Amino acid sequence: MLKETNFSNLSYQYYEGEDLIHFENAVKTCKEFIDCFNSDYHNLFFYGTVGTGKSFLSGCVAKELIDQGKSVIYFSSTGLFEKLSALSFDYNAKEDKAELYEDLYSCDLLIIDDLGTELANSFTVSQLFLCLNERLLRRKSTIISTNLTLDSLVDIYSERTFSRITSNYTMLKLTGDDIRIKKKLMNREEH
């Protein structure tokens, strides 16, 4: 994944106007996040429309930090909550569950991609809060990406989780047309 998702493959050609300004700001913030990773504690929250580079930028940051020898764990939100659910409801998996929680809480960077694609219920809501809160207490950086609006985030995950995110994360909104669709259309026109 990181062979494709890195700053050397970054392109501004799919953005214009206000969308370009948002993306340029997000790239600048990501590079500052990487440059200050060892000295400052920060978290990033990417939100906005589908296909605008949120996951791509998360991957770019991950690659840079992995290259520096940092521990990075990536989960789609669906994968994370499915894994936590499977371990939580399997009595024989106590050790595996404890190990996963320790990894989630102590890795240098945790990336939760596509928050809101999982089936939201009281378990996922409480697990998200627990994970984010524990990482805040340990001062371990987290990147979250979502296509949800901020209003939807509050409705699904509670005021308490929303408050933790908005007060402890740099909020980066990405907007524009779906780049995946733009790329497909451009490829068709070329052939």
Side-chain angles (χ1 to χ4, degrees):
M1 175 179 142
L2 297 181
K3 286 180 182 176
E4 298 296 320
T5 309
N6 57 66
F7 285 117
S8 62
N9 289 330
L10 181 81
S11 173
Y12 295 96
Q13 76 181 31
Y14 304 105
Y15 302 91
E16 53 189 45
E18 189 91 5
D19 302 332
L20 177 60
I21 293 167
H22 286 280
F23 189 70
E24 288 173 335
N25 179 51
V27 170
K28 179 178 176 244
T29 301
C30 287
K31 290 182 175 181
E32 290 168 356
F33 177 86
I34 294 162
D35 291 343
C36 299
F37 195 81
N38 293 322
S39 57
D40 290 336
Y41 167 69
H42 292 287
N43 302 291
L44 301 176
F45 185 84
F46 296 108
Y47 70 105
T49 51
V50 173
T52 52
K54 298 178 294 294
S55 298
F56 179 82
L57 288 177
S58 297
C60 290
V61 172
K63 172 151 183 9
E64 293 294 318
L65 293 177
I66 288 169
D67 288 350
Q68 293 177 19
K70 303 296 181 202
S71 59
V72 177
I73 295 178
Y74 167 93
F75 267 108
S76 69
S77 68
T78 302
L80 174 62
F81 294 117
E82 283 176 358
K83 183 83 169 166
L84 288 172
S85 177
L87 293 176
S88 293
F89 299 110
D90 181 352
Y91 181 75
N92 297 321
K94 268 186 174 176
E95 245 177 68
D96 293 340
K97 179 182 172 187
E99 196 174 294
L100 177 61
Y101 278 114
E102 186 53 34
D103 289 346
L104 288 175
Y105 298 158
S106 64
C107 65
D108 295 319
L109 176 65
L110 173 64
I111 298 174
I112 302 173
D113 194 26
D114 277 333
L115 184 68
T117 56
E118 78 285 351
L119 177 61
N121 55 41
S122 60
F123 176 80
T124 58
V125 169
S126 66
Q127 290 299 302
L128 179 64
F129 178 82
L130 178 69
C131 183
L132 299 184
N133 196 54
E134 187 62 31
R135 290 190 61 79
L136 288 169
L137 294 172
R138 294 185 187 204
R139 298 184 60 76
K140 295 292 185 178
S141 295
T142 306
I143 296 177
I144 299 172
S145 71
T146 186
N147 295 325
L148 295 174
T149 65
L150 296 181
D151 287 340
S152 295
L153 193 71
V154 174
D155 292 343
I156 296 169
Y157 298 103
S158 81
E159 285 279 346
R160 192 169 70 153
T161 300
F162 183 74
S163 175
R164 290 292 191 290
I165 292 171
T166 55
S167 59
N168 293 287
Y169 286 66
T170 301
M171 307 294 282
L172 298 164
K173 184 174 185 178
L174 296 178
T175 56
D177 296 329
D178 188 329
I179 292 170
R180 292 176 206 103
I181 292 172
K182 275 187 167 183
K183 282 182 178 180
K184 276 188 178 180
L185 293 174
M186 289 171 105
N187 284 338
R188 282 186 189 157
E189 289 172 6
E190 290 173 5
H191 295 358

